Each structure stands twice: as structure tokens, then as C-alpha cells.
């Protein structure tokens, strides 16, 4: 039965409360049966069930409450003790029953809530039981003090009451003289520690103090024996005669004689071993992964914090952040149960790989693990750990009928403890893990401060790009495309620049890739296109038919933007530039094999009269059959093929044949050819002889502002 409502549930509050009542009564019956006979209460079994219905209802209400607060469970624990359910067996069976039944009846409740409710109930139960014991202890203490104050007749009566309490009390009581020699021990204490009265009388109280006890306990006892304090309380561990351990709430009181001098020591002990063990189990569950049994994120962070909270000279620390490669595919295809078994198997291999070291292995969540070397001997140790992890995961893991291969990517950070803090260490390990994954997986990567600084700088640069556009920090330079036949400037290519206020002038290779990654390339490309078309219209107005057309690069992401065609139409309309005076350049890799909708966009631009060019042709993987169907006007040959034509009379025969083949191919498809990277007259002459229509490069002009193009066009007009 689902006890919690989800968004969209049609059940009303009345139905929900009815569900609570039914489940609460069913739990109460199970609960009453489980604790039957563990504690003495003056209620019939039906009365016990009715009483537990109310407690169960409060527990379910606490689990469902938002915000969640386990206080109600704490109060349930108190009420159990107040109703005389005081046995440790009652508490143990209650905690176990609640864990099983709540998980079954309320599957949607987070495990953390169930653990919190169990812990709170145990805490309230222990608190109430201790208060009950303290009241008993105080009554005994008052009886002892009364005995000293009364006259001889009253003293005899008081001693009789003390003897009755001493003998029949459920808590252990021991009496010693002022020097600590044991004089008496009641039956409860004899059973608690496993010694007879005769054996107790051979002990001194000092012998029950151990080196492992807190110093505060030793100091309190010294003060009591000196007469500086009347009593002290402590939670203390004792060892039975058979070697087993017993945890107690201990109260030691000083009994003074008629003259006010110390005469006796009275020790009272409540056995709280069950509660202590329960707390240990809950503490273990809070710090360990329930699936693999490894340390969890909380324990890992606690251990790491201790390293940096108590730095020592020359101490070093190291981390291996581990992420399984391809785990999601296995989990999704074979099911979560197979994924869980795989995680358990991986955890065992990781634990075995560092079994002989002092490294902590933790599961951070999902398929992420970490190795913590709290006292690293150096980077070599962490690299060796990384290699060990790769080695232990190399062999396939058999889960059911599946032979599963799994690898890991590992980010390694190792440094002195004084360098930064735990947060910096975790962040750098996470960054390094990303490097390992991006470099091909199934490998480790070592943190590199210089690389990290570069990537942080790149990130900051990308973060400032939107504001830079608004502040007009970008501008456009232009490089001429020259007709090889007569040297005329027939076109100019627009090249965007960034005048950064801190880093100075940035070339496109410093920020275009960032703009692609962040998606800002679309906005930046639109700005460049509009800015260039506006400048082209000015040249058209001034130079008429002699004005060059402008060529603008389109990034791959920009070419896939669905608003590309409408943007171009809008910009041409707003600037008044003719479509034939605009050329859009796409790289070979962007245009080859492009999706149908992208081809449609290029076709629309082509039909509008906009020129389409393929940039850096020859450097990609061309499908020539596909090329002939593309709406393209021009091929631009990459400068790397022109390099071999630099020296007059001695061209590289391979480069010459490649360029010749590319030009022949272009002409066969009805396309013009522009060669990039022309730096010498020999290159220009040879390219012209091969049949290349235009050239672009430093031989003709370097990229420059519009004014430089104006001067070239004016000179050309006069000539």
C-alpha cells in the first residue's frame, strides 16, 4: 500500500487518513506480537494493540510530514518507557519491526527518513530509560544521605530500606571503602560483570578504570576520592570476566561519615550495551554505502576534512576520482539489478587492490568511486594506484549469464596538505576526471595546474563574451580576394577580432571555439554578418560596379540554426545590399553530409542569389557525388596545398598535382576556385597558370580595417 501521495493523486485527505488508520492497526498487531513478553505491563494484549495503534499513527504521520522532523518518533520512544515497556528486547524488536514494516508499507519513503525515525525512537527510548534509572539512582543516594542524618533508630530503618534497594535494584550497585576496596556488590552487578561477591571483594575500584577511558573520567574519579566532588556520571565501558564488553551509564557517589570525612564510595551502573550497539549500527549505516559496504560520501568528506583541519609538516594527500566507463549502457540495457551486482563486484575489486595500503575506498554515488591516500608518499604512489585500478578492472566480470567488460576513467590529484583545502582538492580531482574521459576513457589523467589555469581562463573568457558584444568590443577586419588574371580586388573576406579590455587583441582562434561550445556563435555570427553587409553597402554606394562582394564565414553550429535564412533575408533587406554581393563560407566538414534541412537552407540562400563557398577544401573527407548536388558557387583551396608552390621554377610536384586536380574538379562542377595562403609571386603565377581564378594571402594584403580596403579600391579605380 502506498502511504504517500504523489502529484496528480485523486485520493482526498479522508482516504489518506483512512489508509493511515488501517496500516497503523496492522502494524500495531505485528508490533504487539513482536514485543509480547519482553516487558511487564499491566495491559491485556488487546489493550496493548490499542495503545500501539496511537504510536504507529504518530510514526506514519512523522514519515509523511513536510518538512520532515523525526521528533515525533523520539516522543514515541519516551512514551514506551513511560508505559513500562523497558526491556532492551522490546527496543531491539521494535526497531527491527519498524524498519521492515515501514519499508514494505511505505516504499516511497526515503531510506534516510526511516533510519532517522529508527534512530530518534531509540534515542527517546534511551533518554527516558536513563531518566528512569537516574530517578532510581537519586532515590538510592537520598536514602544513603538520609541514613547519615537520622538518629540511630531512624538509621536502622534507613539502612533496611537501603539494603532492600541495594538487593532488589535492577541496576548494578557496588560499595567500596574510601580507598576503593570493594566491600559489597548486589546480584545485578554480579550478573552484569560475571564475578561472584567473593571475587568482587578482591578488587579495587581503581582496577575498573582503563587506559582507554576518557581522561575526564579519570580526573572526575580523582576529584571524588580527594573529597573535591560528591559524585560524577559517565558512560563507561567495562569488561566481563569472560572478556566480553559491557557499556554502562555509571554514577559514582561519595558517602561521608558523621564527621563529614569521606567514608564510602557507592557505584551504580545501568547496562546500556544494547543501546550502544544500536547506536554503533546506526552510525555505521550513516557512514557506509548500503549496496557495496564501502565508505560513503559522508565518511570520505569527514576523513578528508580531518586531514586539512590538522595539517602536519611535510604531509601530503592524494585522490583518485574513479568513474566507470559505459556503466549507464549496462544499467539501462540489462536492468538495475545487474548494474547493482556490477557495482558490488567493482567495489570488491577496488577494496582488494588497496587492501595492503592505508587508503580509504569510498563510493560517492552512482558509478563514482574515490581512493583517498591520507598520507601520500608522492605522485608516483597515486599513479601506481591508478594503474592498479585499471588492472583490476581489466578482466571481465561475470554477472548471472552475462560476461561484462568495464573500464574506468580516473582523475588523480596529489599535493601537500598545506596547498589549498579539501574543497580545492575535490574540485581539481573532478576536473581531472573530466580530462581523462575526454581523452578517450579507460585511462588516468594527472592534475596539471597550468592546463587548469588555461581552461579556467577559457571559461572566464567565454563568460564575458555576451557582455563584450553589448560593449562593442568586437570589430571586423577584411582581407582581399584578388583575381589572378588582372590583380583586381573582387571580394573581401570578413575576419572578426576581439579587442579585450584585459587581454588585448584576440584573434578568432582564441574565441571562436568557445563561442561554438557555448552557443554564442549564432549571436556573434549574426552580428558579424550584419556589420559586414552594412560595410559592403557603403563600398557599393562609393565604388559601384567596382565594389567587391563580401565573404562571411559560417560556423557549423550557425549553419544549423533554423533562423539562418530569415536572418540573412532580414539583414539584406535592412542594409539594402544585393544578395549577389554576399558570399557565405562553410567548411568542408560542415557542408558534406549535412542534414536535409540544412541542405534546404543552403538551397534557399542559393536561390536568393547569395553566393555559397566551401572553405578549406581538400582537408576534409569529401563525397564527390554529394558535392555535385550541393548549391555551391566556389571552392576555396586550403593554404596547405599551396605551400609547395612557393619557390619559382621548383614547385612540389605532389602539391602541384593536387591543386591542379582540385581546380579541374571545381571547373567540371561549374565552380570558381580561390586559393588561400598565397604568400609569394611564384605561388600566384603558378596558380594562375593552373587555372585558379582568385588568390588570397599576405602576398596581396594582410587583413585590415575598411579604410585599407578603401585605399586599395581607390587605387584600383585610378589604375
Amino acid at each position: 500500500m502506498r502511504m504517500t501521495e504523489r502529484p496528480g493523486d485523486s485520493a482526498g485527505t479522508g482516504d489518506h487518513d483512512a489508509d493511515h488508520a488501517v496500516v497503523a492497526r496492522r502494524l500495531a498487531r505485528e508490533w504487539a506480537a513482536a514485543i509480547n513478553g519482553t516487558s511487564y505491563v499491566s495491559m491485556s494484549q488487546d489493550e496493548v494493540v490499542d495503545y500501539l495503534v496511537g504510536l504507529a499513527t504518530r510514526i506514519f504521520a512523522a514519515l509523511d510530514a513536510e518538512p520532515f522532523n523525526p521528533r515525533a518518533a523520539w516522543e514515541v520512544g519516551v512514551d514506551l518507557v513511560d508505559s513500562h515497556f523497558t526491556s532492551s528486547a522490546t527496543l531491539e524488536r521494535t526497531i527491527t519491526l519498524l524498519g521492515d514494516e515501514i519499508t514494505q508499507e511505505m516504499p516511497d519513503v526515503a531510506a534516510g527518513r526511516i533510519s532517522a525515525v529508527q534512530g530518534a525512537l531509540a534515542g527517546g527510548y534511551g533518554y527516558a530509560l536513563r531518566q528512569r534509572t537516574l530517578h532510581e539512582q537519586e532515590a538510592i543516594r537520598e536514602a544513603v544521605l538520609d541514613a547519615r542524618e537520622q538518629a540511630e533508630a531512624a538509621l536502622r530503618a534507613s539502612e533496611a530500606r537501603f539494603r532492600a534497594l541495594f538487593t532488589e535494584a535492577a541496576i548494578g550497585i557496588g560499595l567500596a571503602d574510601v580507598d576503593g576496596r570493594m566491600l559489597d556488590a548486589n546480584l545485578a552487578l554480579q550478573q552484569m560483570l560475571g564475578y561472584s561477591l567473593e571475587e568482587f571483594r578482591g578488587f579495587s575500584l581503581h582496577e575498573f578504570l582503563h587506559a582507554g577511558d576518557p581522561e575526564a573520567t579519570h580526573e572526575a574519579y580523582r576529584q571524588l576520592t580527594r573529597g573535591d566532588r560528591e559524585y560524577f556520571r559517565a558512560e563507561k565501558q567495562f569488561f566481563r570476566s569472560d572478556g566480553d564488553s559491557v557499556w554502562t551509564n555509571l554514577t559514582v557517589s561519595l558517602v561521608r561519615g558523621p564527621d563529614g570525612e569521606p567514608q564510602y564510595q557507592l557505584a551504580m551502573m545501568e547496562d546500556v550495551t544494547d543501546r550502544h550497539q544500536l547506536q554503533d549500527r546506526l552510525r555505521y549505516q550513516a557512514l557506509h554505502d548500503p549496496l557495496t559496504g564501502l565508505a560513503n560520501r559522508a565518511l570520505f568528506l569527514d576523513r578528508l576534512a580531518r586531514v586539512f583541519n590538522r595539517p602536519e609538516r611535510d604531509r601530503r594527500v592524494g585522490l583518485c576520482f574513479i568513474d566507470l566507463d559505459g556503466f549507464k549502457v549496462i544499467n539501462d540495457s540489462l536492468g538495475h539489478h545487474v548494474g547493482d551486482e556490477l557495482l558490488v563486484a567493482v567495489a570488491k575489486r577496488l577494496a582488494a587492490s588497496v587492501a595492503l595500503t592505508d587508503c580509504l575506498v569510498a563510493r560517492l554515488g552512482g558509478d563514482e568511486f574515490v581512493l583517498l591516500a591520507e598520507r601520500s608518499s608522492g605522485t608516483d604512489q597515486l599513479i601506481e594506484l591508478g594503474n592498479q585500478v585499471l588492472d583490476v578492472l581489466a578482466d571481465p566480470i561475470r554477472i548471472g549469464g552475462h560476461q561484462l567488460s568495464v573500464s574506468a576513467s580516473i582523475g588523480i590529484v596529489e599535493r601537500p596538505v598545506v596547498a589549498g583545502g579539501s574543497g580545492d582538492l575535490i574540485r581539481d580531482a573532478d576536473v581531472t576526471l573530466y580530462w581523462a574521459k575526454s581523452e578517450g576513457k579507460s585511462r588516468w589523467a594527472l592534475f596539471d595546474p597550468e592546463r587548469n589555469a588555461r581552461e579556467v581562463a577559457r571559461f572566464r573568457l567565454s563568460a564575458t563574451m555576451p557582455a563584450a558584444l553589448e560593449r562593442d568590443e568586437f570589430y571586423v577586419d577584411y582581407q582581399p580576394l584578388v583575381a589572378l588574371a588582372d590583380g583586381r580586388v573582387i571580394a573581401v573576406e570578413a575576419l572578426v577580432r576581439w579587442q579585450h579590455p584585459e587581454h588585448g587583441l584576440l584573434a578568432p582562434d582564441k574565441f571562436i571555439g568557445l563561442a561554438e561550445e557555448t552557443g554564442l556563435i549564432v549571436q556573434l555570427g549574426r552580428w558579424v554578418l550584419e556589420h559586414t553587409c552594412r560595410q559592403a553597402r557603403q563600398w557599393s554606394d562609393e565604388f559601384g560596379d567596382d565594389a567587391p562582394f563580401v565573404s562571411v564565414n559560417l560556423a557549423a553550429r550557425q549553419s544549423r540554426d533554423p533562423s539562418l535564412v530569415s536572418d540573412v533575408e532580414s539583414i539584406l533587406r535592412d542594409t539594402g545590399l544585393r544578395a549577389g554581393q554576399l558570399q557565405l563560407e562553410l567548411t568542408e566538414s560542415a557542408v558534406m553530409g549535412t542534414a536535409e534541412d540544412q541542405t534546404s537552407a543552403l538551397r534557399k540562400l542559393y536561390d536568393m542569389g547569395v553566393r555559397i563557398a566551401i572553405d578549406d577544401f581538400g582537408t576534409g573527407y569529401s563525397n564527390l557525388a554529394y558535392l555535385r548536388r550541393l548549391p555551391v558557387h566556389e571552392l576555396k583551396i586550403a593554404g596547405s596545398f599551396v605551400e609547395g608552390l612557393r619557390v619559382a621554377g621548383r614547385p612540389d610536384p605532389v602539391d602541384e598535382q593536387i591543386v591542379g586536380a582540385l581546380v579541374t574538379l571545381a571547373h567540371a562542377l561549374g565552380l570558381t576556385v580561390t586559393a588561400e595562403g598565397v604568400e609569394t609571386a611564384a605561388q600566384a603565377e603558378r596558380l594562375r597558370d593552373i587555372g585558379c581564378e582568385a588568390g588570397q594571402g599576405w602576398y596581396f594584403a594582410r587583413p585590415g580595417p575598411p579604410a585599407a580596403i578603401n585605399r586599395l579600391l581607390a587605387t584600383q579605380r585610378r589604375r
Side-chain angles (χ1 to χ4, degrees):
M1 174 176 292
R2 178 169 55 81
M3 294 295 299
T4 55
E5 293 184 14
R6 298 171 178 156
D9 282 350
S10 60
T13 303
D15 294 339
H16 190 62
D17 292 341
D19 287 346
H20 269 291
V22 171
V23 176
R25 179 156 292 278
R26 182 158 60 248
L27 174 60
R29 287 196 294 268
E30 296 287 340
W31 194 352
I35 64 175
N36 184 34
T38 60
S39 297
Y40 176 78
V41 292
S42 58
M43 288 187 281
S44 68
Q45 188 69 1
D46 288 341
E47 289 173 331
V48 170
V49 171
D50 289 339
Y51 173 73
L52 295 179
V53 166
L55 301 188
T57 301
R58 288 157 60 187
I59 290 173
F60 284 131
L63 287 166
D64 262 347
E66 292 295 343
F68 172 66
N69 186 343
R71 176 68 185 183
W74 190 91
E75 293 170 354
V76 167
V78 172
D79 289 349
L80 280 171
V81 173
D82 289 346
S83 300
H84 304 290
F85 291 94
T86 57
S87 166
S88 61
T90 299
L91 175 60
E92 180 178 357
R93 295 181 186 183
T94 295
I95 293 297
T96 301
L97 177 73
L98 288 180
D100 295 338
E101 293 297 319
I102 292 173
T103 300
Q104 178 180 346
E105 298 292 348
M106 302 180 72
D108 292 340
V109 174
R113 286 196 177 195
I114 297 174
S115 296
V117 164
Q118 290 176 300
L121 189 147
Y125 192 96
Y127 170 81
L129 202 58
R130 184 177 183 185
Q131 291 300 110
R132 182 186 182 95
T133 302
L134 290 177
H135 290 323
E136 285 187 4
Q137 293 174 346
E138 193 63 27
I140 294 171
R141 182 170 171 271
E142 288 176 0
V144 173
L145 295 176
D146 287 343
R148 188 189 66 188
E149 300 292 337
Q150 301 299 325
E152 184 175 342
L155 179 61
R156 284 195 297 270
S158 178
E159 287 177 344
R161 289 197 303 273
F162 169 72
R163 176 52 58 184
L165 285 170
F166 182 88
T167 303
E168 302 298 330
I171 62 174
I173 304 175
L175 186 65
D177 62 20
V178 70
D179 295 323
R181 289 188 296 271
M182 289 290 293
L183 303 176
D184 205 351
N186 70 348
L187 182 60
L189 182 59
Q190 295 172 38
Q191 293 174 342
M192 188 182 301
L193 297 186
Y195 293 107
S196 66
L197 180 59
E198 289 73 19
E199 290 173 320
F200 264 118
R201 286 173 175 165
F203 284 113
S204 169
L205 283 184
H206 301 85
E207 296 179 65
F208 290 103
L209 291 173
H210 310 297
D213 292 332
E215 176 57 29
T217 302
H218 288 273
E219 178 58 25
Y221 183 71
R222 286 192 291 267
Q223 292 175 358
L224 183 133
T225 55
R226 291 198 305 264
D228 295 339
R229 65 189 302 167
E230 297 303 310
Y231 70 96
F232 73 88
R233 293 190 177 111
E235 185 172 275
K236 176 171 167 32
Q237 184 182 29
F238 288 88
F239 293 97
R240 290 173 43 83
S241 60
D242 57 11
D244 285 347
S245 174
V246 178
W247 281 93
T248 70
N249 278 330
L250 169 69
T251 299
V252 181
S253 301
L254 188 64
V255 181
R256 297 181 182 271
D259 55 0
E261 291 298 314
Q263 190 170 8
Y264 299 106
Q265 298 176 47
L266 184 68
M268 293 174 280
M269 288 176 276
E270 173 200 7
D271 187 344
V272 294
T273 303
D274 290 343
R275 176 166 61 83
H276 198 275
Q277 290 175 344
L278 176 60
Q279 290 174 339
D280 285 345
R281 287 199 300 272
L282 292 176
R283 188 179 300 111
Y284 180 88
Q285 292 172 3
L287 297 175
H288 290 79
D289 175 46
L291 177 65
T292 63
L294 297 179
N296 63 10
R297 181 184 292 270
L299 180 53
F300 160 67
L301 292 176
D302 178 69
R303 292 275 290 270
L304 188 60
R306 292 184 191 180
V307 171
F308 283 90
N309 289 341
R310 296 193 295 269
E312 302 171 11
R313 184 179 180 183
D314 297 331
R315 184 173 181 177
R316 301 182 69 87
V317 64
L319 287 183
C320 287
F321 261 31
I322 304 166
D323 188 88
L324 301 185
D325 300 326
F327 174 76
K328 186 177 186 303
V329 175
I330 295 175
N331 208 36
D332 292 346
S333 60
L334 300 180
H336 291 283
H337 65 289
V338 174
D340 286 348
E341 291 185 46
L342 178 61
L343 290 174
V344 172
V346 168
K348 289 180 180 178
R349 291 191 181 188
L350 292 178
S353 70
V354 298
L356 300 180
T357 72
D358 60 354
C359 292
L360 173 73
V361 186
R363 181 188 176 208
L364 301 185
D367 60 341
E368 295 181 348
F369 299 84
V370 63
L371 302 184
L372 168 62
E374 298 179 63
R375 294 184 178 276
S376 167
S377 61
T379 302
D380 289 345
Q381 179 193 1
L382 271 296
I383 292 176
E384 182 179 351
L385 284 174
N387 287 325
Q388 287 177 2
V389 171
L390 296 177
D391 289 343
V392 299
L393 296 180
D395 293 333
I397 298 175
R398 188 165 190 83
I399 304 295
H402 306 286
Q403 195 84 356
L404 304 178
S405 295
V406 64
S407 63
S409 298
I410 307 170
I412 298 176
V413 180
E414 198 280 339
R415 62 182 51 154
V417 171
V418 294
S422 59
D424 293 337
L425 191 71
I426 293 173
R427 181 199 62 216
D428 293 343
D430 202 31
V431 168
T432 311
L433 174 60
Y434 171 78
W435 294 349
K437 279 196 169 295
S438 64
E439 289 166 3
K441 303 179 181 179
S442 189
R443 67 189 63 221
W444 53 260
L446 184 64
F447 181 72
D448 180 356
E450 293 183 0
R451 176 179 177 179
N452 185 60
R454 289 194 302 270
E455 295 199 356
V456 169
R458 278 171 52 85
F459 171 77
R460 290 175 177 168
L461 198 63
S462 67
T464 61
M465 287 180 72
L469 264 176
E470 295 178 2
R471 292 193 297 263
D472 292 328
E473 293 177 8
F474 292 94
Y475 68 91
V476 179
D477 275 343
Y478 300 90
Q479 187 174 31
L481 279 67
V482 176
L484 295 178
D486 55 13
R488 287 184 305 107
V489 175
I490 58 174
V492 292
E493 180 177 354
L495 301 168
V496 65
R497 306 285 190 256
W498 185 357
Q499 187 63 49
H500 196 281
E502 295 180 19
H503 304 296
L505 180 60
L506 300 177
D509 62 330
K510 298 295 185 183
F511 61 86
I512 291 296
L514 292 177
E516 282 266 23
E517 293 172 11
T518 60
L520 190 67
I521 191 65
V522 175
Q523 183 180 353
L524 178 61
R526 188 180 298 118
W527 179 89
V528 172
L529 186 60
E530 181 178 2
H531 193 85
T532 302
C533 288
R534 204 170 300 281
Q535 178 60 58
R537 175 57 191 267
Q538 293 179 18
W539 283 324
S540 180
D541 291 344
E542 183 174 354
F543 296 101
D545 293 339
D546 292 330
F549 65 82
V550 290
S551 192
V552 180
N553 291 283
L554 285 186
R557 190 164 184 171
Q558 189 181 1
S559 68
R560 296 191 296 268
D561 184 61
S563 63
L564 173 63
V565 175
S566 61
D567 283 347
V568 172
E569 287 178 329
S570 175
I571 290 171
L572 291 176
R573 183 174 57 251
D574 292 345
T575 60
L577 185 68
R578 289 185 296 106
Q581 292 179 281
L582 173 63
Q583 177 171 277
L584 299 178
E585 296 186 21
L586 295 90
T587 61
E588 187 178 354
S589 57
V591 76
M592 291 298 176
T594 187
E596 185 62 33
D597 55 345
Q598 292 174 252
T599 304
S600 175
L602 292 180
R603 174 63 63 183
K604 290 178 181 178
L605 292 169
Y606 184 94
D607 292 342
M608 286 166 51
V610 175
R611 295 174 56 86
I612 307 296
I614 298 180
D615 194 17
D616 288 334
F617 188 77
T619 59
Y621 299 93
S622 304
N623 183 328
L624 299 182
Y626 189 77
L627 176 62
R628 65 183 299 178
R629 297 197 301 270
L630 286 174
V632 177
H633 295 84
E634 179 171 302
L635 298 184
K636 297 186 73 174
I637 299 177
S640 57
F641 295 115
V642 180
E643 181 70 23
L645 310 180
R646 291 173 59 90
V647 182
R650 288 184 296 163
D652 183 284
V654 175
D655 282 352
E656 187 173 33
Q657 288 186 26
I658 290 175
V659 172
L662 293 177
V663 171
T664 300
L665 169 65
H667 289 168
L669 296 173
L671 308 179
T672 59
V673 180
T674 295
E676 300 178 300
V678 180
E679 298 182 354
T680 67
Q683 286 174 307
E685 182 178 351
R686 188 68 195 111
L687 289 167
R688 183 190 63 219
D689 294 342
I690 290 173
C692 226
E693 282 83 4
Q696 178 183 355
W698 287 5
Y699 171 67
F700 303 108
R702 297 196 178 204
I709 303 299
N710 287 343
R711 289 192 293 271
L712 284 174
L713 294 175
T715 301
Q716 178 175 292
R717 170 181 281 180
R718 289 194 299 272
R719 187 171 66 244

